[in-house]
Amino acid sequence: MNDEYLSSGRANQKLETRKEIIASAKYFINKGKEFTLEDVAKKAKISRATIYRYYSNVDILTSEAALDIPKDSETINKTLRHLEIDERMFGIQDYYNTFTIDNENAFRKYLSVVIKPNNADNKRGARRNETLQLALSDSSLNQKEKNKLSNLLTVLMGIEPLIVTKDVCGLNNQQSKELLNWGMEMILKGISIDKKL
């Protein structure tokens, strides 16, 4: 998105227009339909010139729309704060896996745009790791263990494992969530997290 344009002039109106653009793009993504910037402009009831002020191409818009996650890491952790730490891990996993299933077409489209061979700078899914780190912040694990555990548990949530469980293993959404949940359960049992927290 064109941040310079967004920060100049009537910021509130521009943010509202951006929200309309994102919502319109999500409509097409969630339907699994190919679309252009012009299609999004028409759906958002804005001019072609306006949409080009916000997004220079449809791939950038698609990526941003797919990443427009409604809750941030702190909000997710606040809703789970009353739980034991291992239960927080399951709550975080459930949030991200449910969100992924609900927006699977958007995430698949996003991956098709952002995954490029030999692109080491491409860091996706950082919110998952950040959310897990926050949940582990008051555990008795040392920082190295917290980092390793949050990195490992991140592998069990989001679009990447969902693609493997569905496309490679042939599981449906519910079976995928159950398998990924079981994987997390085995990891947490294996390190006796309940004794270390």
Side-chain angles (χ1 to χ4, degrees):
M1 185 179 63
N2 188 337
D3 292 327
E4 186 178 321
Y5 175 73
L6 191 61
S7 62
S8 66
R10 303 165 302 205
N12 286 341
Q13 182 181 348
K14 290 177 181 178
L15 287 173
E16 284 302 313
T17 301
R18 178 197 172 272
K19 282 170 60 176
E20 286 296 321
I21 292 170
I22 293 289
S24 297
K26 281 185 172 184
Y27 168 82
F28 291 109
I29 292 168
N30 288 328
K31 295 281 185 185
K33 295 181 177 181
E34 294 294 320
F35 59 93
T36 65
L37 286 177
E38 289 79 11
D39 295 329
V40 174
K42 185 176 179 181
K43 174 93 176 120
K45 298 181 177 142
I46 61 173
S47 71
R48 287 177 56 187
T50 298
I51 199 164
Y52 281 100
R53 287 187 197 112
Y54 288 81
Y55 296 95
S56 58
N57 68 58
V58 74
D59 291 339
I60 293 170
L61 171 57
T62 301
S63 298
E64 192 166 324
L67 287 173
D68 195 42
I69 296 176
K71 292 185 181 178
D72 62 38
S73 300
E74 289 182 19
T75 303
I76 295 167
N77 272 282
K78 278 183 186 176
T79 63
L80 302 171
R81 202 72 175 137
H82 65 286
L83 300 172
E84 296 293 325
I85 292 181
D86 59 339
E87 290 299 315
R88 284 185 230 163
M89 301 295 106
F90 291 116
I92 292 166
Q93 182 190 44
D94 184 63
Y95 171 77
Y96 283 108
N97 284 343
T98 299
F99 184 81
T100 299
I101 287 169
D102 291 346
N103 297 280
E104 182 177 350
N105 288 330
F107 277 106
R108 286 180 181 265
K109 178 75 173 174
Y110 166 71
L111 286 178
S112 73
V113 170
V114 299
I115 292 181
K116 306 279 188 243
N118 303 318
N119 186 359
D121 297 329
N122 187 12
K123 186 174 180 184
R124 301 177 325 274
R127 287 185 183 117
R128 289 174 273 175
N129 195 289
E130 178 183 298
T131 306
L132 289 164
Q133 284 282 343
L134 281 171
L136 290 168
S137 64
D138 58 353
S139 77
S140 64
L141 298 171
N142 66 46
Q143 192 56 50
K144 187 175 180 181
E145 291 171 326
K146 289 175 188 177
N147 290 341
K148 285 183 175 182
L149 182 58
S150 66
N151 287 336
L152 180 58
L153 297 182
T154 298
V155 174
L156 297 171
M157 57 188 78
I159 188 62
E160 300 89 347
L162 184 73
I163 287 173
V164 172
T165 58
K166 291 179 77 171
D167 296 4
V168 178
C169 302
L171 304 179
N172 64 30
N173 288 339
Q174 187 59 37
Q175 292 167 327
S176 295
K177 284 181 71 173
E178 288 171 3
L179 179 67
L180 296 171
N181 187 265
W182 179 79
M184 183 178 285
E185 184 179 336
M186 293 298 103
I187 290 168
L188 295 176
K189 279 183 182 177
I191 63 167
S192 301
I193 192 168
D194 54 337
K195 293 177 183 158
K196 297 197 91 173
L197 300 174

